[in-house]
Amino acid sequence: MGQTTVTHDSHAAHGHDHHEQSFIMKYFFSTDHKIIGLQYMFTGMFMAIVGGYFAYAFRMQLAFPGMEVPLYGTVGPGQYNMLITNHGAIMIFWVAMPVLIAAFGNILIPLMIGCDDMVFPRLNRLSYQIFLLSVVVLFMSFFVQGGGFGGAWTSYPPLSAVAEYNLTDWGASLWLIAVALEFVAFLIGGINFVTTSMNARAPGMRMTDIPIVVWMIVLASIMFMASVGPLIAGSVMLLMDQRVGTTFFVPSGGGDPVLWQHLFWFFGHPEVYVVLLPALGIVAEIMTTFARKKLFGYKTILYTTFATGGLAFVVWAHHQFIAGIDPRMANIFLVTTLLISIPIAEILFSYVATLYGGSIEFRTPMLWALGFLVTFLLGGVTGIYLGSSALDIYFHDSYFVIAHFHSTFFPIAIIGMFAGLYHWYPKMFGRMMDETLGKIHFWGTIIPFNGIFLPLFLVGMAGQHRRIYNFQHFPDLATADLQGIRVFATVSLVTMLLFQFVFAYNFFVSMFKGEKAPANPWKSNTLEWTVPSPPPHGNFAELPTVYRGPYEYSVPGNKEDYWPQNMPDRN
Amino acid sequence: MSMQGPLATSRSATGIPTGRLGVWWLLASEIFIFGGLIACYILYRLNNPWWGGEAVFTKVPAGAFNTFVLLTSSLFIVLAHDAAEKKDFDRAFKFIWYTIGGGGVFLLVKYYEYSSKLFADDPELLKTPLTNTYWSFYYTATGLHALHVIGGMVIMALISFDLRKGFNPHRVELIGLYWHFVDIVWIFLFPLLYIAK
Ligand code: HEM
Ligand SMILES: [Cu+2]
């Protein structure tokens, strides 16, 4: 079976003439990087709907405690915990990771570096299959006796380790297995991103001719690999605690629960950058294209990203300031945390400098890219408050934290995803999306988003704790003004969710009815725009040679304001 | 059946063969996984000096013998690689199976060690993963390592038959890298779990 698939899928070196594949072979067992990318994309988008639906259910419960939530039902305390746990886990592990790294990585890397596929196509398919299995196991965890796991996406022991405490015996274990499988899927996927970019580059493409988004995905994969290892070991230990009865993390048996926190955040903090970097890369491609300007400081951005990647490994304990760590240790992590804001700020400044003086076209992808910059800035700035250990004593586990990290994650996972989708949609599906609907969708997302989370900063500062299913039980928090803010946030959320139907309509209708896309609708330089939309199996009819970097826009002496990487002469 | 993979597979912009890069990636991920486990163990161990009293119950001679067995099998896989380079595929086949044999002896000794603790009649000598956290680590770490030994043996068996027909001789080098890694993990586990008292 495996063998036949390979023959069906393989093609002559130059990509033409291959016989017809059946629908199933083509879309379910393909080893073509573009199909695998789309599989990741659609799975991730489906999971975004699930994660958003969970957010809808628990936000309704917070705004109108005890109500029968339309399309969901009542949300009791156990249900609430299950919903937030899986909302968080899904959004990070099953939306941000598959869409930003796996989907865009798969679709873009071979096209952008000018080759016909990944260097390990069958491992690539295996990666998606394991990922899909992790989704299945996650869904199974919702339906076993006791229900889905509710111990938060951080899964701190002893709560997560002992069934008598979390009351979700198999729910907790299946959840953990699902997360571990997802880790394995991305370890296997990462191998392709890294080795393909290293070895399969088109002739003439130097390291500094590689588009930034490819660099970002490669660096993210390396960071993921280096941070997730210890947590995989930790997951095995936690699973042993759950299923065998060992006490690695259970103090009553001599274990140490704080060790899990270290393992989790040694992964968890770099993970933030793992999803941030691809989003930054996507935004860089879009900004240069629609500002018709060279990326400001390509090498600076690259080195700064290396610095960020290194520093990201030494900040993790800022999540544990109140977990009983030594205050002198806390000081060290305070310093590293504030340090890491420097390279990140530097990257953002380079982006602003890229825009400066450009002839900016406000097309839909550009709006999303700009939206990313503005929103992410807010998230980044509030992080500086949380990084100072003294302030964090008050803010820890409050809605200030929730609002902070959603102001970083939402731009990354959702805005970054939409930016990339609107930008590469013509390449992926061979049709253009509707601009007006795209703009409506943009404003209908970005305004309500701030309507949700700006108020949540306020309730956080008022002392509202996270992971509480009903604030009416706390006299100080049950006041009418606080409740009013909560209702406002929930109404904003529902508004934002409704605007997603505009996107769904645009996305699916354009796929069949949209205007046919030319090869290079945005007049962009990178190699993926030199092949037909959508690219045929094997991508390039003639494998390209590269003559220059990816951001040569508005070069004096050229007739056109763009200069494709594979064009030997003046344009 | 002749199958032609994508052209990408035959490129090598860095000059390093793609397969080797792939195995390096795999091993790097493994280093972080085992590294995490071993770091956890060391941290616990430093906080619990009495674990030395538990380590007394490990069988140091058995562990030492196994170290010797693994090192020898690593030598065999190097010889197999050498033979494969020289296109002497029968000799390479033979040395791969010597390596697999080394893995087999290692596992037999492990089986003896495990069973003498798990099924001991004397309650003093009965040590299970639930006895205390030291033994939890002992079984988790050596168990994970043993799984890697088994995995390596299976892969070696699979590639050995292709190799005898002259297919994919470069795979001997790749599995060799992996086997050395399995060896090195053991070289960390042995002193940490058995010798340190
Ligand atoms: C669709 C809009 C979203 C809304 C309205 C929303 C709302 C919330 C709220 C209110 C909580 C806190 C619940 C509580 O502590 O009681 C929460 C938790 C969380 N959210 Fe979101 N969120 C959204 C999107 C996202 C996205 C895009 C991500 C990440 C990519 C994300 C990641 C998380 C995480 C990691 C948690 C923590 C879960 C835990 O406490 O274990 N959310 N969300
Ligand atoms: Cu952090």
Side-chain angles (χ1 to χ4, degrees), chain A residues 265 268-270 272-273 312 315-319 337 404:
Chain A
W265 289 114
H269 192 90
V272 177
Y273 294 88
V315 298
W316 80 88
H318 61 212
H319 297 273
T337 303
H404 150 70

Side-chain angles (χ1 to χ4, degrees), chain A residues 274-443:
Chain A
V274 168
V275 290
L276 168 65
L277 297 188
L280 279 175
I282 289 170
V283 167
E285 304 301 330
I286 296 174
M287 282 189 169
T288 48
T289 303
F290 291 98
R292 317 306 292 163
K293 265 193 70 188
K294 199 180 175 120
L295 185 67
F296 184 89
Y298 177 103
K299 281 194 186 154
T300 314
I301 291 179
L302 206 54
Y303 297 145
T304 315
T305 310
F306 293 156
T308 315
L311 275 173
F313 281 86
V314 289
V315 298
W316 80 88
H318 61 212
H319 297 273
Q320 297 162 261
F321 283 150
I322 64 154
I325 63 171
D326 189 322
R328 285 165 300 184
M329 260 256 276
N331 270 340
I332 295 173
F333 282 96
L334 182 162
V335 172
T336 54
T337 303
L338 297 192
L339 273 180
I340 203 172
S341 59
I342 297 172
I344 287 290
E346 196 175 314
I347 295 179
L348 295 185
F349 279 130
S350 298
Y351 283 18
V352 174
T354 305
L355 296 174
Y356 183 76
S359 38
I360 297 177
E361 291 170 64
F362 290 98
R363 305 292 292 264
T364 315
M366 186 61 163
L367 284 183
W368 287 95
L370 295 172
F372 170 90
L373 214 59
V374 174
T375 338
F376 183 79
L377 199 64
L378 182 67
V381 168
T382 48
I384 298 181
Y385 294 84
L386 296 171
S388 67
S389 54
L391 268 181
D392 190 59
I393 292 173
Y394 181 73
F395 281 142
H396 185 85
D397 259 355
S398 75
Y399 265 67
F400 190 87
V401 174
I402 297 287
H404 150 70
F405 74 70
H406 282 83
S407 302
T408 60
F409 271 138
F410 190 88
I412 293 171
I414 307 296
I415 301 185
M417 169 176 85
F418 283 134
L421 267 178
Y422 279 103
H423 188 61
W424 281 290
Y425 186 94
K427 191 50 56 186
M428 290 192 272
F429 301 106
R431 306 259 180 180
M432 304 299 289
M433 281 175 101
D434 187 275
E435 278 281 312
T436 318
L437 290 180
K439 283 177 181 155
I440 295 174
H441 175 221
F442 171 74
W443 292 111

Side-chain angles (χ1 to χ4, degrees), chain A residues 165-200:
Chain A
Y165 305 163
N166 58 45
L167 306 178
T168 53
D169 187 6
W170 272 102
S173 296
L174 287 177
W175 184 89
L176 190 60
I177 292 170
V179 174
L181 283 172
E182 197 264 4
F183 290 165
V184 172
F186 280 92
L187 278 179
I188 296 179
I191 191 174
N192 261 314
F193 301 150
V194 175
T195 48
T196 305
S197 313
M198 281 174 82
N199 258 356

Side-chain angles (χ1 to χ4, degrees), chain A residues 10 114 116 119 199-200 248 543, chain B residues 4 7-9 11 13-14 16 44:
Chain A
S10 56
D116 52 354
V119 295
N199 258 356
F248 285 114
L543 284 157
Chain B
Q4 190 169 14
L7 182 81
T9 48
R11 282 190 176 162
T14 55
I16 305 167
Y44 272 111

